[in-house]
């Protein structure tokens, strides 16, 4: 099916749940004040991740979940793990922000595109079943599982941890009967959910899409896994909010977080018909995955490919882009690879174009990060600025980029590029224009 590239796709609503606050006003206030949401955590006991710090959604607690953010889905909360709760709440906020409202009848022209990480059970959820399946030596066995272990499982256990469930819950509440899809490409999800929505709408398959992502890397199992991969920064006596340093010479890794963000995308003509506020336009999408048989993932080449594909998709030149919102995880190797990719695509301008990285505000939320970054750039442009990269102090010769730091950078160029990449060599790039 052919695409109509002349069909403008507008963003008319945004909703987020993050360590910087929930909803537009709280999130925007944190960015304007340069206030990080990274702090000591109390989601689970112990000392994981290092220093027991992270970007925790503190305002998203048992009381607020039921009374405020998930009130329409309160009967379904029992089959939602935290990742799902965050994602559905962000979509509820986005729908409210857009002014669309919930129709009485099912809408075949409204679709949902939502991304999530793989979701894991906490150890205590499986403990009873595993303990029941032990043999005489006290070791869990598969031979005892069917007879003794399975009966100890929660009957609806699987529904709590399926990555397609955010889209399911959102579709049911919004009566969205148009295209529906769930993506599980970790950090690359954010750009892709908006990009796939763009393509769906340009093909004429929907007038409106709910697009977003959710991720909770602050999880006892995920935190241990990432810490063992040497991906997580050690505080080493620093204040929690000072630990994450994207592109800085003294960076030492990422800081784990949790969060979600959703957007309402509408055909421009439909948005104008209802006098909706237009915050931005989605221009183009690019993606790539590069892995070599002998050396494994090649994130740098994947980012190069994705950026170039996004430029072609949007019919935009590198000279038209006002700033780059980088993946900027704080990893020594990944930040250097991203800098190399930017320089390869942008040439000499790669050292001049403003680059920001917003994870020091809300941590690395995995799938949830990319959409939060996009929202950050859109909100900054509403104020005529690019928000700075927190904690950037010492330039790194391996990352010779023009990192926005200190104070917000004034700008009147509304077009920006958002980049995200995974350790597996999957990259995505999205071009957006502020309204």
């Amino acid at each position: 099916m052919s695409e109509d590239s002349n069909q403008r796709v507008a963003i008319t609503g945004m909703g987020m749940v993050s360590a910087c606050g929930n909803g537009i006003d709280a999130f925007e206030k944190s960015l304007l004040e340069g206030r990080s949401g990274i702090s000591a955590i109390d989601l689970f006991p112990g000392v994981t991740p290092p220093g027991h710090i992270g970007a925790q959604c503190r305002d998203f607690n048992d009381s607020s979940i039921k009374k405020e953010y998930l009130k329409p889905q309160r009967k379904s909360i029992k089959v939602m793990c935290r990742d799902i709760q965050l994602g559905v709440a962000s979509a509820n906020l986005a729908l409210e922000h857009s002014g669309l409202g919930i129709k009485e009848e099912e809408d075949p022209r409204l679709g949902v595109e939502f991304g999530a990480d793989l979701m894991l059970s906490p150890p205590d959820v499986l403990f009873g079943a595993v303990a029941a399946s032990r043999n005489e030596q006290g070791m869990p066995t598969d031979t005892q599982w069917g007879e003794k272990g399975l009966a100890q499982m929660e009957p609806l256990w699987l529904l709590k941890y399926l990555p397609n469930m955010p889209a399911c819950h959102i579709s049911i509440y919004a009566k969205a009967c148009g295209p529906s899809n769930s993506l599980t490409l970790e950090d690359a999800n954010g750009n892709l959910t908006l990009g796939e929505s763009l393509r769906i709408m340009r093909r004429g398959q929907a007038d409106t899409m709910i697009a977003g992502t959710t991720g909770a890397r602050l999880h006892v199992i995920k935190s241990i896994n990432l810490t063992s991969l040497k991906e997580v920064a050690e505080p080493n006596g620093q204040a929690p909010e000072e630990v994450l340093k994207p592109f800085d010479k003294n960076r030492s890794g990422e800081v784990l977080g949790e969060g979600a963000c959703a957007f309402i995308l509408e055909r421009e003509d439909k948005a104008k018909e209802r006098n909706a506020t237009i915050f931005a336009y989605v221009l183009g999408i690019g993606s790539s995955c590069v892995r070599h048989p002998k050396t494994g993932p090649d994130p740098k080449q994947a980012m190069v490919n994705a950026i170039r594909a996004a430029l072609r998709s949007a019919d935009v030149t590198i000279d038209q882009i006002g700033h780059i919102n980088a993946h900027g995880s704080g990893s020594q190797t990944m930040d250097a690879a991203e800098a190399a990719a930017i320089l390869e695509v942008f040439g000499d301008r790669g050292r001049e174009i403003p680059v920001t990285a917003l994870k020091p505000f809300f941590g690395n939320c995995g799938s949830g990060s990319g959409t939060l970054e996009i929202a950050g750039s859109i909100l900054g442009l509403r104020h005529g600025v690019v928000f700075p990269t927190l904690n950037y102090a010492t330039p790194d010769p391996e990352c010779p980029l023009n990192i926005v730091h200190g104070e917000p950078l004034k700008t009147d160029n509304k077009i920006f590029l958002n980049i995200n990449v995974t350790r597996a060599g999957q990259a995505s790039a999205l071009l957006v224009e502020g309204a």
Side-chain angles (χ1 to χ4, degrees):
M1 188 177 291
S2 62
E3 294 185 12
D4 179 8
S5 59
N6 294 319
Q7 181 59 256
R8 296 266 279 173
V9 172
I11 293 174
T12 59
M14 296 183 282
M16 62 282 296
V17 181
S18 79
C20 291
N22 305 334
I24 291 289
D25 293 342
F27 185 72
E28 186 176 47
K29 189 171 187 288
S30 290
L31 295 174
L32 287 167
E33 294 176 354
R35 177 166 41 84
S36 172
I38 296 173
S39 63
I41 63 171
D42 58 14
L43 277 174
F44 47 83
V47 290
T48 299
H52 212 55
I53 66 168
Q56 178 179 334
C57 298
R58 295 193 172 279
D59 296 333
F60 194 73
N61 49 49
D62 290 341
S63 176
S64 66
I65 287 170
K66 295 178 181 179
K67 295 181 179 179
E68 189 172 355
Y69 300 112
L70 292 176
K71 190 174 182 180
Q73 295 92 359
R74 58 189 178 277
K75 293 182 179 179
S76 301
I77 292 174
K78 63 183 178 182
V79 289
M80 294 183 186
C81 68
R82 192 160 175 88
D83 307 58
I84 298 173
Q85 292 176 5
L86 292 166
V88 176
S90 73
N92 290 350
L93 289 168
L95 283 164
E96 180 182 359
H97 184 237
S98 71
L100 266 179
I102 303 300
K103 297 181 179 179
E104 293 185 5
E105 299 179 353
E106 295 176 345
D107 187 351
R109 302 293 296 170
L110 171 62
V112 178
E113 189 85 19
F114 225 83
D117 294 319
L118 296 179
M119 302 174 188
L120 305 180
S121 303
D124 58 301
V125 171
L126 299 174
F127 178 79
V130 173
S133 64
R134 289 179 293 189
N135 59 20
E136 293 179 355
Q137 288 73 41
M139 296 297 294
T141 66
D142 53 358
T143 57
Q144 298 291 321
W145 175 261
E147 180 182 353
K148 299 179 179 179
L150 192 58
Q152 304 301 318
M153 291 288 293
E154 297 178 38
L156 300 178
W157 170 80
L158 189 60
L159 293 181
K160 242 178 135 170
Y161 302 101
L162 285 174
N164 65 312
M165 292 310 295
C168 292
H169 288 289
I170 294 164
S171 296
I172 292 168
Y173 171 59
K175 298 184 175 66
C177 294
S180 179
N181 194 26
S182 301
L183 300 179
T184 53
L185 287 90
E186 291 190 323
D187 307 66
N189 270 339
N191 296 324
L192 292 172
T193 58
L194 273 74
E196 288 299 304
S197 297
L198 172 71
R199 288 169 170 161
I200 287 168
M201 295 172 74
R202 282 181 173 174
R203 291 196 296 263
Q205 295 176 305
D207 296 329
T208 308
M209 293 290 294
I210 304 169
T213 61
T214 181
R217 282 198 168 158
L218 276 181
H219 179 285
V220 63
I221 300 297
K222 292 180 184 179
S223 297
I224 290 172
N225 289 344
L226 289 165
T227 301
S228 67
L229 291 173
K230 309 299 182 185
E231 292 285 341
V232 185
E234 293 278 356
N236 293 324
Q238 300 172 97
E241 65 274 14
E242 297 173 352
V243 174
L244 183 52
K245 300 177 172 67
F247 300 109
D248 189 277
K249 184 178 181 179
N250 297 313
R251 66 189 183 278
S252 59
E254 62 187 64
V255 173
L256 306 180
E258 57 173 2
C261 181
F263 300 90
I264 305 302
L265 276 59
E266 294 185 69
R267 283 177 39 178
E268 182 183 39
D269 56 344
K270 295 290 185 180
K272 288 184 175 179
E273 278 180 16
R274 68 179 188 90
N275 295 317
T277 299
I278 294 176
F279 295 90
Y281 294 93
V282 183
L283 302 181
I285 178 66
S287 62
S288 177
C289 180
V290 181
R291 294 178 68 91
H292 301 294
K294 294 184 179 180
T295 57
D298 187 347
K300 180 250 186 178
Q301 189 58 50
M303 285 184 274
V304 168
N305 297 347
I307 295 168
R308 286 174 173 164
L311 291 167
R312 292 193 299 270
S313 171
D315 193 22
V316 166
T317 68
I318 59 174
D319 293 327
Q320 292 176 272
I321 297 174
H323 78 272
I324 297 172
N325 195 323
H327 181 71
S329 67
S331 162
Q332 282 281 349
T333 56
M334 198 67 80
D335 284 7
E338 186 171 14
I342 291 170
L343 293 172
E344 181 167 329
V345 174
F346 284 79
D348 292 339
R349 189 161 187 258
R351 297 173 182 268
E352 302 170 358
I353 187 169
V355 175
T356 189
L358 299 182
K359 285 184 175 69
F361 282 97
F362 42 73
N364 191 336
C365 312
S367 176
S369 293
T371 44
L372 288 170
E373 291 159 2
I374 294 165
S377 276
I378 292 172
L379 292 172
L381 291 174
R382 301 274 294 177
H383 293 272
V385 301
V386 177
F387 289 122
T389 303
L390 301 181
N391 306 324
Y392 182 83
T394 308
D396 183 357
E398 295 295 317
C399 303
L401 303 175
N402 179 18
I403 305 297
V404 180
H405 62 286
E407 298 296 322
L409 176 71
K410 292 183 179 180
T411 183
D412 57 5
N413 189 323
K414 299 287 189 178
I415 299 177
F416 70 90
L417 169 71
N418 193 74
I419 305 171
N420 288 122
V421 65
T422 73
R423 295 183 303 280
Q426 303 156 298
S428 63
L430 189 77
L431 281 162
V432 178
E433 181 178 12

